[in-house]
PDB file of all heavy atoms in Angstrom:
ATOM      1  N   CYS A  41      -9.380   0.843   2.880  1.00 47.00           N
ATOM      2  CA  CYS A  41      -9.427   0.100   4.151  1.00 47.00           C
ATOM      3  C   CYS A  41      -8.875  -1.291   3.977  1.00 47.00           C
ATOM      4  O   CYS A  41      -8.160  -1.814   4.838  1.00 47.00           O
ATOM      5  CB  CYS A  41     -10.865   0.035   4.683  1.00 47.00           C
ATOM      6  SG  CYS A  41     -11.466   1.650   5.248  1.00 47.00           S
ATOM      7  N   ARG A  42      -9.164  -1.884   2.812  1.00 49.00           N
ATOM      8  CA  ARG A  42      -8.663  -3.219   2.557  1.00 49.00           C
ATOM      9  C   ARG A  42      -7.170  -3.212   2.380  1.00 49.00           C
ATOM     10  O   ARG A  42      -6.433  -4.067   2.896  1.00 49.00           O
ATOM     11  CB  ARG A  42      -9.382  -3.803   1.324  1.00 49.00           C
ATOM     12  CG  ARG A  42      -9.016  -5.298   1.094  1.00 49.00           C
ATOM     13  CD  ARG A  42      -9.829  -5.920  -0.057  1.00 49.00           C
ATOM     14  NE  ARG A  42      -9.542  -5.293  -1.343  1.00 49.00           N
ATOM     15  CZ  ARG A  42     -10.403  -4.537  -1.990  1.00 49.00           C
ATOM     16  NH1 ARG A  42     -11.620  -4.309  -1.508  1.00 49.00           N
ATOM     17  NH2 ARG A  42     -10.063  -4.006  -3.151  1.00 49.00           N
ATOM     18  N   ILE A  43      -6.696  -2.237   1.654  1.00 44.00           N
ATOM     19  CA  ILE A  43      -5.249  -2.144   1.400  1.00 44.00           C
ATOM     20  C   ILE A  43      -4.511  -1.895   2.699  1.00 44.00           C
ATOM     21  O   ILE A  43      -3.450  -2.443   2.968  1.00 44.00           O
ATOM     22  CB  ILE A  43      -4.954  -1.034   0.378  1.00 44.00           C
ATOM     23  CG1 ILE A  43      -5.479  -1.423  -1.000  1.00 44.00           C
ATOM     24  CG2 ILE A  43      -3.448  -0.707   0.287  1.00 44.00           C
ATOM     25  CD1 ILE A  43      -5.388  -0.333  -2.049  1.00 44.00           C
ATOM     26  N   SER A  44      -5.099  -1.033   3.518  1.00 48.00           N
ATOM     27  CA  SER A  44      -4.449  -0.715   4.780  1.00 48.00           C
ATOM     28  C   SER A  44      -4.295  -1.941   5.646  1.00 48.00           C
ATOM     29  O   SER A  44      -3.321  -2.107   6.359  1.00 48.00           O
ATOM     30  CB  SER A  44      -5.253   0.371   5.510  1.00 48.00           C
ATOM     31  OG  SER A  44      -4.699   0.656   6.752  1.00 48.00           O
ATOM     32  N   ALA A  45      -5.226  -2.812   5.541  1.00 49.00           N
ATOM     33  CA  ALA A  45      -5.167  -4.026   6.361  1.00 49.00           C
ATOM     34  C   ALA A  45      -4.104  -4.976   5.875  1.00 49.00           C
ATOM     35  O   ALA A  45      -3.508  -5.730   6.638  1.00 49.00           O
ATOM     36  CB  ALA A  45      -6.538  -4.700   6.390  1.00 49.00           C
ATOM     37  N   GLN A  46      -3.812  -4.958   4.540  1.00 63.00           N
ATOM     38  CA  GLN A  46      -2.869  -5.911   3.976  1.00 63.00           C
ATOM     39  C   GLN A  46      -1.533  -5.293   3.666  1.00 63.00           C
ATOM     40  O   GLN A  46      -0.594  -5.970   3.244  1.00 63.00           O
ATOM     41  CB  GLN A  46      -3.459  -6.515   2.695  1.00 63.00           C
ATOM     42  CG  GLN A  46      -4.748  -7.285   2.958  1.00 63.00           C
ATOM     43  CD  GLN A  46      -5.375  -7.811   1.682  1.00 63.00           C
ATOM     44  OE1 GLN A  46      -4.928  -7.442   0.584  1.00 63.00           O
ATOM     45  NE2 GLN A  46      -6.408  -8.657   1.807  1.00 63.00           N
ATOM     46  N   GLY A  47      -1.293  -3.893   3.810  1.00 78.00           N
ATOM     47  CA  GLY A  47      -0.020  -3.227   3.502  1.00 78.00           C
ATOM     48  C   GLY A  47       0.250  -3.228   2.016  1.00 78.00           C
ATOM     49  O   GLY A  47      -0.665  -3.218   1.178  1.00 78.00           O
ATOM     50  N   CYS A  48       1.520  -3.234   1.611  1.00 87.00           N
ATOM     51  CA  CYS A  48       1.912  -3.201   0.191  1.00 87.00           C
ATOM     52  C   CYS A  48       2.050  -4.591  -0.402  1.00 87.00           C
ATOM     53  O   CYS A  48       2.395  -4.735  -1.594  1.00 87.00           O
ATOM     54  CB  CYS A  48       3.260  -2.450   0.064  1.00 87.00           C
ATOM     55  SG  CYS A  48       3.154  -0.667   0.378  1.00 87.00           S
ATOM     56  N   THR A  49       1.759  -5.672   0.428  1.00 84.00           N
ATOM     57  CA  THR A  49       1.978  -7.035  -0.061  1.00 84.00           C
ATOM     58  C   THR A  49       1.051  -7.395  -1.186  1.00 84.00           C
ATOM     59  O   THR A  49       1.378  -8.235  -2.030  1.00 84.00           O
ATOM     60  CB  THR A  49       1.797  -8.033   1.097  1.00 84.00           C
ATOM     61  OG1 THR A  49       0.498  -7.875   1.660  1.00 84.00           O
ATOM     62  CG2 THR A  49       2.863  -7.803   2.167  1.00 84.00           C
ATOM     63  N   ARG A  50      -0.118  -6.824  -1.242  1.00 81.00           N
ATOM     64  CA  ARG A  50      -1.077  -7.176  -2.289  1.00 81.00           C
ATOM     65  C   ARG A  50      -1.066  -6.174  -3.410  1.00 81.00           C
ATOM     66  O   ARG A  50      -1.998  -6.108  -4.193  1.00 81.00           O
ATOM     67  CB  ARG A  50      -2.486  -7.275  -1.690  1.00 81.00           C
ATOM     68  CG  ARG A  50      -2.596  -8.446  -0.679  1.00 81.00           C
ATOM     69  CD  ARG A  50      -4.021  -8.569  -0.187  1.00 81.00           C
ATOM     70  NE  ARG A  50      -4.940  -8.836  -1.222  1.00 81.00           N
ATOM     71  CZ  ARG A  50      -5.260 -10.063  -1.650  1.00 81.00           C
ATOM     72  NH1 ARG A  50      -4.722 -11.143  -1.075  1.00 81.00           N
ATOM     73  NH2 ARG A  50      -6.134 -10.246  -2.628  1.00 81.00           N
ATOM     74  N   SER A  51       0.018  -5.289  -3.511  1.00 83.00           N
ATOM     75  CA  SER A  51       0.148  -4.281  -4.582  1.00 83.00           C
ATOM     76  C   SER A  51      -1.105  -3.443  -4.683  1.00 83.00           C
ATOM     77  O   SER A  51      -1.867  -3.520  -5.666  1.00 83.00           O
ATOM     78  CB  SER A  51       0.449  -4.949  -5.920  1.00 83.00           C
ATOM     79  OG  SER A  51       1.668  -5.663  -5.868  1.00 83.00           O
ATOM     80  N   PRO A  52      -1.352  -2.648  -3.669  1.00 88.00           N
ATOM     81  CA  PRO A  52      -2.582  -1.852  -3.668  1.00 88.00           C
ATOM     82  C   PRO A  52      -2.565  -0.653  -4.608  1.00 88.00           C
ATOM     83  O   PRO A  52      -3.601  -0.040  -4.841  1.00 88.00           O
ATOM     84  CB  PRO A  52      -2.671  -1.402  -2.213  1.00 88.00           C
ATOM     85  CG  PRO A  52      -1.257  -1.293  -1.771  1.00 88.00           C
ATOM     86  CD  PRO A  52      -0.535  -2.412  -2.458  1.00 88.00           C
ATOM     87  N   CYS A  53      -1.355  -0.274  -5.156  1.00 92.00           N
ATOM     88  CA  CYS A  53      -1.253   0.953  -5.974  1.00 92.00           C
ATOM     89  C   CYS A  53      -1.566   0.657  -7.424  1.00 92.00           C
ATOM     90  O   CYS A  53      -1.577  -0.491  -7.877  1.00 92.00           O
ATOM     91  CB  CYS A  53       0.150   1.542  -5.829  1.00 92.00           C
ATOM     92  SG  CYS A  53       0.535   1.994  -4.126  1.00 92.00           S
ATOM     93  N   GLY A  54      -1.772   1.749  -8.180  1.00 89.00           N
ATOM     94  CA  GLY A  54      -2.101   1.632  -9.579  1.00 89.00           C
ATOM     95  C   GLY A  54      -0.882   1.271 -10.425  1.00 89.00           C
ATOM     96  O   GLY A  54       0.245   1.094  -9.934  1.00 89.00           O
ATOM     97  N   ILE A  55      -1.121   1.196 -11.737  1.00 86.00           N
ATOM     98  CA  ILE A  55      -0.069   0.802 -12.683  1.00 86.00           C
ATOM     99  C   ILE A  55       1.031   1.871 -12.666  1.00 86.00           C
ATOM    100  O   ILE A  55       0.767   3.060 -12.787  1.00 86.00           O
ATOM    101  CB  ILE A  55      -0.652   0.648 -14.088  1.00 86.00           C
ATOM    102  CG1 ILE A  55      -1.727  -0.438 -14.101  1.00 86.00           C
ATOM    103  CG2 ILE A  55       0.437   0.358 -15.124  1.00 86.00           C
ATOM    104  CD1 ILE A  55      -2.506  -0.530 -15.415  1.00 86.00           C
ATOM    105  N   GLY A  56       2.268   1.393 -12.531  1.00 85.00           N
ATOM    106  CA  GLY A  56       3.426   2.284 -12.580  1.00 85.00           C
ATOM    107  C   GLY A  56       3.640   3.085 -11.328  1.00 85.00           C
ATOM    108  O   GLY A  56       4.603   3.856 -11.236  1.00 85.00           O
ATOM    109  N   ALA A  57       2.748   2.845 -10.298  1.00 88.00           N
ATOM    110  CA  ALA A  57       2.888   3.615  -9.074  1.00 88.00           C
ATOM    111  C   ALA A  57       3.839   2.926  -8.109  1.00 88.00           C
ATOM    112  O   ALA A  57       4.145   1.742  -8.252  1.00 88.00           O
ATOM    113  CB  ALA A  57       1.528   3.832  -8.428  1.00 88.00           C
ATOM    114  N   MET A  58       4.293   3.661  -7.109  1.00 91.00           N
ATOM    115  CA  MET A  58       5.187   3.146  -6.083  1.00 91.00           C
ATOM    116  C   MET A  58       4.428   3.118  -4.767  1.00 91.00           C
ATOM    117  O   MET A  58       3.592   3.977  -4.495  1.00 91.00           O
ATOM    118  CB  MET A  58       6.427   4.034  -5.953  1.00 91.00           C
ATOM    119  CG  MET A  58       7.281   4.064  -7.214  1.00 91.00           C
ATOM    120  SD  MET A  58       8.709   5.197  -7.043  1.00 91.00           S
ATOM    121  CE  MET A  58       9.582   4.387  -5.713  1.00 91.00           C
ATOM    122  N   CYS A  59       4.759   2.052  -3.923  1.00 91.00           N
ATOM    123  CA  CYS A  59       4.070   1.878  -2.651  1.00 91.00           C
ATOM    124  C   CYS A  59       5.094   1.947  -1.526  1.00 91.00           C
ATOM    125  O   CYS A  59       6.148   1.293  -1.578  1.00 91.00           O
ATOM    126  CB  CYS A  59       3.331   0.529  -2.629  1.00 91.00           C
ATOM    127  SG  CYS A  59       2.389   0.274  -1.099  1.00 91.00           S
ATOM    128  N   TYR A  60       4.734   2.700  -0.480  1.00 89.00           N
ATOM    129  CA  TYR A  60       5.579   2.813   0.710  1.00 89.00           C
ATOM    130  C   TYR A  60       4.704   2.565   1.933  1.00 89.00           C
ATOM    131  O   TYR A  60       3.524   2.940   1.923  1.00 89.00           O
ATOM    132  CB  TYR A  60       6.212   4.207   0.813  1.00 89.00           C
ATOM    133  CG  TYR A  60       7.082   4.543  -0.368  1.00 89.00           C
ATOM    134  CD1 TYR A  60       6.549   5.231  -1.457  1.00 89.00           C
ATOM    135  CD2 TYR A  60       8.433   4.180  -0.369  1.00 89.00           C
ATOM    136  CE1 TYR A  60       7.358   5.542  -2.532  1.00 89.00           C
ATOM    137  CE2 TYR A  60       9.235   4.496  -1.451  1.00 89.00           C
ATOM    138  CZ  TYR A  60       8.713   5.184  -2.530  1.00 89.00           C
ATOM    139  OH  TYR A  60       9.496   5.490  -3.591  1.00 89.00           O
ATOM    140  N   GLU A  61       5.218   1.904   2.940  1.00 87.00           N
ATOM    141  CA  GLU A  61       4.473   1.642   4.166  1.00 87.00           C
ATOM    142  C   GLU A  61       4.939   2.619   5.244  1.00 87.00           C
ATOM    143  O   GLU A  61       6.141   2.838   5.419  1.00 87.00           O
ATOM    144  CB  GLU A  61       4.688   0.217   4.648  1.00 87.00           C
ATOM    145  CG  GLU A  61       4.039  -0.834   3.746  1.00 87.00           C
ATOM    146  CD  GLU A  61       4.178  -2.240   4.316  1.00 87.00           C
ATOM    147  OE1 GLU A  61       4.776  -2.362   5.428  1.00 87.00           O
ATOM    148  OE2 GLU A  61       3.699  -3.175   3.677  1.00 87.00           O
ATOM    149  N   THR A  62       3.964   3.158   5.971  1.00 86.00           N
ATOM    150  CA  THR A  62       4.274   4.047   7.076  1.00 86.00           C
ATOM    151  C   THR A  62       4.705   3.232   8.266  1.00 86.00           C
ATOM    152  O   THR A  62       4.711   1.990   8.228  1.00 86.00           O
ATOM    153  CB  THR A  62       3.049   4.899   7.437  1.00 86.00           C
ATOM    154  OG1 THR A  62       2.024   4.018   7.911  1.00 86.00           O
ATOM    155  CG2 THR A  62       2.548   5.691   6.241  1.00 86.00           C
ATOM    156  N   THR A  63       5.007   3.905   9.360  1.00 80.00           N
ATOM    157  CA  THR A  63       5.462   3.202  10.568  1.00 80.00           C
ATOM    158  C   THR A  63       4.394   2.244  11.074  1.00 80.00           C
ATOM    159  O   THR A  63       4.687   1.146  11.557  1.00 80.00           O
ATOM    160  CB  THR A  63       5.797   4.225  11.659  1.00 80.00           C
ATOM    161  OG1 THR A  63       6.768   5.143  11.161  1.00 80.00           O
ATOM    162  CG2 THR A  63       6.354   3.546  12.911  1.00 80.00           C
ATOM    163  N   GLY A  64       3.128   2.582  10.893  1.00 79.00           N
ATOM    164  CA  GLY A  64       2.037   1.710  11.345  1.00 79.00           C
ATOM    165  C   GLY A  64       1.675   0.627  10.338  1.00 79.00           C
ATOM    166  O   GLY A  64       0.653  -0.047  10.505  1.00 79.00           O
ATOM    167  N   GLY A  65       2.442   0.530   9.238  1.00 81.00           N
ATOM    168  CA  GLY A  65       2.167  -0.503   8.237  1.00 81.00           C
ATOM    169  C   GLY A  65       1.174  -0.082   7.197  1.00 81.00           C
ATOM    170  O   GLY A  65       0.758  -0.878   6.341  1.00 81.00           O
ATOM    171  N   ARG A  66       0.797   1.176   7.201  1.00 87.00           N
ATOM    172  CA  ARG A  66      -0.180   1.680   6.221  1.00 87.00           C
ATOM    173  C   ARG A  66       0.526   1.949   4.919  1.00 87.00           C
ATOM    174  O   ARG A  66       1.569   2.598   4.884  1.00 87.00           O
ATOM    175  CB  ARG A  66      -0.836   2.935   6.752  1.00 87.00           C
ATOM    176  CG  ARG A  66      -1.895   3.469   5.809  1.00 87.00           C
ATOM    177  CD  ARG A  66      -2.437   4.756   6.364  1.00 87.00           C
ATOM    178  NE  ARG A  66      -3.402   5.328   5.445  1.00 87.00           N
ATOM    179  CZ  ARG A  66      -3.899   6.551   5.522  1.00 87.00           C
ATOM    180  NH1 ARG A  66      -3.475   7.342   6.529  1.00 87.00           N
ATOM    181  NH2 ARG A  66      -4.793   6.982   4.660  1.00 87.00           N
ATOM    182  N   PRO A  67      -0.027   1.445   3.770  1.00 90.00           N
ATOM    183  CA  PRO A  67       0.618   1.685   2.468  1.00 90.00           C
ATOM    184  C   PRO A  67       0.333   3.108   1.975  1.00 90.00           C
ATOM    185  O   PRO A  67      -0.741   3.639   2.192  1.00 90.00           O
ATOM    186  CB  PRO A  67      -0.024   0.633   1.573  1.00 90.00           C
ATOM    187  CG  PRO A  67      -1.390   0.436   2.147  1.00 90.00           C
ATOM    188  CD  PRO A  67      -1.229   0.568   3.639  1.00 90.00           C
ATOM    189  N   VAL A  68       1.353   3.688   1.309  1.00 92.00           N
ATOM    190  CA  VAL A  68       1.218   5.021   0.698  1.00 92.00           C
ATOM    191  C   VAL A  68       1.652   4.919  -0.743  1.00 92.00           C
ATOM    192  O   VAL A  68       2.786   4.475  -1.043  1.00 92.00           O
ATOM    193  CB  VAL A  68       2.089   6.061   1.416  1.00 92.00           C
ATOM    194  CG1 VAL A  68       1.975   7.408   0.710  1.00 92.00           C
ATOM    195  CG2 VAL A  68       1.666   6.198   2.873  1.00 92.00           C
ATOM    196  N   CYS A  69       0.759   5.301  -1.703  1.00 92.00           N
ATOM    197  CA  CYS A  69       1.034   5.197  -3.135  1.00 92.00           C
ATOM    198  C   CYS A  69       1.462   6.556  -3.695  1.00 92.00           C
ATOM    199  O   CYS A  69       0.913   7.597  -3.316  1.00 92.00           O
ATOM    200  CB  CYS A  69      -0.200   4.695  -3.869  1.00 92.00           C
ATOM    201  SG  CYS A  69      -0.764   3.071  -3.352  1.00 92.00           S
ATOM    202  N   SER A  70       2.439   6.533  -4.606  1.00 90.00           N
ATOM    203  CA  SER A  70       2.891   7.775  -5.255  1.00 90.00           C
ATOM    204  C   SER A  70       3.491   7.449  -6.603  1.00 90.00           C
ATOM    205  O   SER A  70       4.005   6.344  -6.819  1.00 90.00           O
ATOM    206  CB  SER A  70       3.920   8.494  -4.388  1.00 90.00           C
ATOM    207  OG  SER A  70       5.088   7.711  -4.275  1.00 90.00           O
TER     208      SER A  70
END
């Protein structure tokens, strides 16, 4: 919930992971 509020700007993903934002600004880690 916290990450969703801040998007990928605060690096919400784990080490070595990649972050993508959806159309609504929600971050997606892979």
Side-chain angles (χ1 to χ4, degrees):
C41 290
R42 187 175 64 249
I43 291 173
S44 177
Q46 298 177 351
C48 290
T49 57
R50 295 184 61 88
S51 299
C53 299
I55 299 172
M58 297 177 63
C59 182
Y60 300 93
E61 291 185 1
T62 65
T63 304
R66 182 183 177 192
V68 177
C69 299
S70 65

